Amino acid sequence: MRNKANSLLKRGLKVVGAGKLLNIIQSEIRHEISNPRFLGVETGKLGAFKLVSDSPGKRDIVLRRQFDSGEEVAVSALLQQEPIEDADDIAFPRGAMAKVCITKPRLSSVLQFDCRVSETGRGSSDFDIERAFYIRSLSSSSPYGGDFFRELDPRLQDALKQYLTSKGISEGLTNFILCHLNKKEQEQYVEWLRKLESTVSQSLKS
């Protein structure tokens, strides 16, 4: 990745020159900072969840909720690779993928749900279950029985979605996931631009 970026930078320097390239980068940084994309959008709510992992250098986040019974719900989420087409009427350019894992006390098994989180309108969002697995043990390398969700009756599929909602996967949480991840991506983009600015600046001094 770094070698590819260096190669692209060298090609860019040859085409437009270091001074002009630096001006372009600095203009892009000013634009990103002075035009925050997500100002005034619905930020969502964590509810009973806690944000337990949010490394600046990583794309994903991890949320966790612990019930008094010992039951635990963990959510790992990251943005989809492809931006949403015709995103003029929504706030966020990318949807998200989330893995919801539910564990019970004194049991080694895990219920895992692979979900797609989408904005349904400004200030609103929802999730859809795409796959579901029963994993016998956290140390198991493969889920038992594979993906069973698509084989279920639609009424049972709806019941499983309601089950996740009862565990805290609410609209407030899906709003939070979309807002936080899209803001995170923008911040990472600005940080990448600043590093590029520094590299080009150094090339002008050498």
Side-chain angles (χ1 to χ4, degrees):
M1 180 71 176
R2 182 177 297 178
N3 291 337
K4 185 177 181 180
N6 288 337
S7 176
L8 289 172
L9 176 59
K10 289 178 181 178
R11 287 165 57 189
L13 290 172
K14 288 180 180 180
V15 173
V16 301
K20 188 172 182 180
L21 181 59
L22 181 62
N23 289 336
I24 293 171
I25 295 168
Q26 290 173 337
S27 176
E28 180 68 7
I29 291 173
R30 288 193 298 270
H31 172 77
E32 289 293 323
I33 293 174
S34 61
N35 296 279
R37 296 182 214 167
F38 311 120
L39 191 65
V41 301
E42 174 58 54
T43 57
K45 297 179 181 179
L46 278 172
F49 281 87
K50 293 181 180 179
L51 183 60
V52 297
S53 179
D54 185 19
S55 172
K58 293 185 177 180
R59 296 174 53 235
D60 66 324
I61 58 173
V62 179
L63 314 169
R64 200 177 300 276
R65 178 183 183 181
Q66 187 89 34
F67 289 84
D68 292 339
S69 64
E71 183 180 35
E72 185 176 272
V73 181
V75 181
S76 173
L78 75 166
L79 289 181
Q80 294 176 236
Q81 290 286 350
E82 295 299 322
I84 299 169
E85 296 182 3
D86 301 323
D88 294 338
D89 297 328
I90 57 178
F92 304 115
R94 296 182 191 274
M97 300 301 297
K99 288 186 182 295
V100 182
C101 294
I102 301 174
T103 57
K104 303 283 187 180
R106 297 179 296 277
L107 294 177
S108 60
S109 58
V110 181
L111 271 177
Q112 176 182 309
F113 299 88
D114 293 353
C115 304
R116 184 181 298 273
V117 181
S118 307
E119 188 178 5
T120 55
R122 287 192 174 269
S124 61
S125 61
D126 200 1
F127 73 94
D128 293 299
I129 301 172
E130 296 204 325
R131 299 188 299 171
F133 305 94
Y134 172 73
I135 303 173
R136 284 181 169 175
S137 170
L138 288 172
S139 61
S140 174
S141 60
S142 60
Y144 174 72
D147 174 20
F148 64 81
F149 184 73
R150 293 301 172 189
E151 299 174 3
L152 297 177
D153 181 278
R155 289 171 296 181
L156 289 176
Q157 292 182 358
D158 290 340
L160 279 176
K161 182 172 181 177
Q162 290 300 316
Y163 171 71
L164 289 186
T165 301
S166 73
K167 299 301 178 183
I169 313 301
S170 63
E171 184 178 49
L173 188 70
T174 55
N175 280 342
F176 174 85
I177 288 171
L178 288 175
C179 183
H180 191 86
L181 286 175
N182 277 278
K183 283 184 175 181
K184 182 182 178 77
E185 182 185 55
Q186 185 187 29
E187 290 166 0
Q188 289 175 336
Y189 175 58
V190 172
E191 180 62 23
W192 177 79
L193 285 173
R194 290 193 187 281
K195 290 180 180 178
L196 189 59
E197 176 189 28
S198 176
T199 301
V200 176
S201 295
Q202 290 298 320
S203 73
L204 287 171
K205 295 176 183 178
S206 60

